Amino acid sequence: MIKKSAVEIIALPAFTDNYIWVLRHAGQVAVVDPGDATPVREYLAQTGERLCAVLVTHYHPDHIGGIAEIIAHHPVPVYGPASENIAEVSHSLRGGEHIQLPEIDCEFDVITLPGHTLGHIAYYGSDIGEAGAVFCGDTLFAAGCGRLFEGTPAQMYDSLNKLAVLPAPTFVYCTHEYTQANLRFALAVEPDNPAIQQRCKDVAAIRAAGRFTVPTRIDLELETNPFLRSDAPAVRAAAAARLGYSPRDAVETFTAIREWKNHF
């Protein structure tokens, strides 16, 4: 039997729609993408738990802005992308590495995800929880994907496919509460998709109750996320309507849908 990690994962809201993920076990914690130091420092002060590591997916300020203050008070290793300019990173990662955080009973495979930024990475733990977990920053969102600030559509398409082939029940820990807006777009792309229709209702109820809509799951994204559905006939048809011709392949479909979302 494969040993499952005993880590617990909780969210610290930050700014208007960010989440800082806290992985906790036996009085120790690691945090993912702490753009704001205050929620993390307040959490540590309230719980008395000890910080053991910081994990970073990419260099945007709302993901790294709190690191300097956090490690000034809690000196710990900082893991992050080697090709991005993040001064606080002490353990540079290029993808393909396997890292272990024994303090919180976790280990991760590092996945390169160029697109949102060129150096973007994710942390995948196959033994976390009952189904595994991936911390993917701003690459894959619930019902959406990140903007292409640096990479090409082909790069982002390939990066999303790296996540799409993870085991279907894998929990996806993205870092923004964008789900309702993303689902409005998904419904515009596939208005007759019953899974999207149902998810819109479910998410509306979740938000009305003041709860978070993430993490999501890979299997749910495969059913309802247009950016993972470039081969679906309805998505290809939606792309063709935007382009004025039938897209040549899945990358061109993805490109048309992503451009549509930019102006939606």
Side-chain angles (χ1 to χ4, degrees):
M1 179 180 293
I2 298 174
K3 174 185 174 292
K4 292 292 184 180
S5 168
V7 71
E8 178 186 5
I9 304 170
I10 61 174
L12 300 180
F15 309 119
T16 57
D17 53 36
N18 279 68
Y19 292 124
I20 300 168
W21 295 108
V22 176
L23 292 75
R24 60 191 299 265
H25 173 68
Q28 304 244 21
V29 303
V31 295
V32 183
D33 285 350
D36 186 358
T38 300
V40 175
R41 294 192 62 199
E42 289 179 349
Y43 173 86
L44 294 172
Q46 290 167 4
T47 64
E49 295 172 344
R50 294 184 58 192
L51 187 68
C52 69
V54 174
L55 305 180
V56 181
T57 62
H58 65 291
Y59 73 91
H60 285 165
D62 62 320
H63 293 253
I64 69 168
I67 297 176
E69 181 179 339
I70 291 168
I71 64 174
H73 295 272
H74 306 275
V76 296
V78 178
Y79 296 82
S83 63
E84 298 195 343
N85 184 21
I86 306 172
E88 297 83 6
V89 166
S90 59
H91 291 62
S92 297
L93 303 169
R94 298 187 178 279
E97 297 92 347
H98 185 80
I99 63 174
Q100 296 180 322
L101 300 179
E103 300 91 341
I104 57 166
D105 192 32
C106 283
E107 50 190 77
F108 299 97
D109 292 314
V110 181
I111 305 171
T112 56
L113 299 176
H116 183 66
T117 67
L118 289 177
H120 200 300
I121 59 175
Y123 302 86
Y124 170 58
S126 60
D127 65 345
I128 294 177
E130 291 302 313
V134 63
F135 297 86
C136 57
D138 287 358
T139 296
L140 175 64
F141 291 133
C145 75
R147 287 180 177 268
L148 279 68
F149 288 114
E150 296 175 1
T152 66
Q155 286 177 315
M156 185 62 128
Y157 176 80
D158 287 342
S159 292
L160 289 168
N161 279 342
K162 292 178 186 178
L163 300 175
V165 299
L166 294 176
T170 302
F171 282 91
V172 178
Y173 291 86
C174 54
T175 47
H176 287 280
E177 183 60 64
Y178 290 164
T179 312
Q180 277 189 301
N182 287 340
L183 281 170
R184 286 193 290 271
F185 177 71
L187 198 59
V189 177
E190 291 190 88
D192 298 323
N193 183 324
I196 296 174
Q197 295 169 356
Q198 184 60 52
R199 192 177 184 188
C200 287
K201 296 175 184 177
D202 295 342
V203 165
I206 290 169
R207 294 304 287 162
R211 295 185 287 121
F212 307 149
T213 65
V214 291
T216 179
R217 299 187 317 273
I218 293 295
D219 53 2
L220 183 58
E221 296 311 308
L222 290 171
E223 293 179 344
T224 60
N225 189 326
F227 300 108
L228 298 188
R229 296 175 54 77
S230 295
D231 287 325
V235 177
R236 287 181 56 82
R242 303 292 296 182
L243 293 168
Y245 59 88
S246 182
R248 291 183 294 271
D249 54 26
V251 173
E252 189 168 21
T253 299
F254 170 81
T255 303
I257 298 299
R258 180 61 258 184
E259 181 62 22
W260 181 11
K261 179 64 165 63
N262 291 343
H263 305 285
F264 186 74

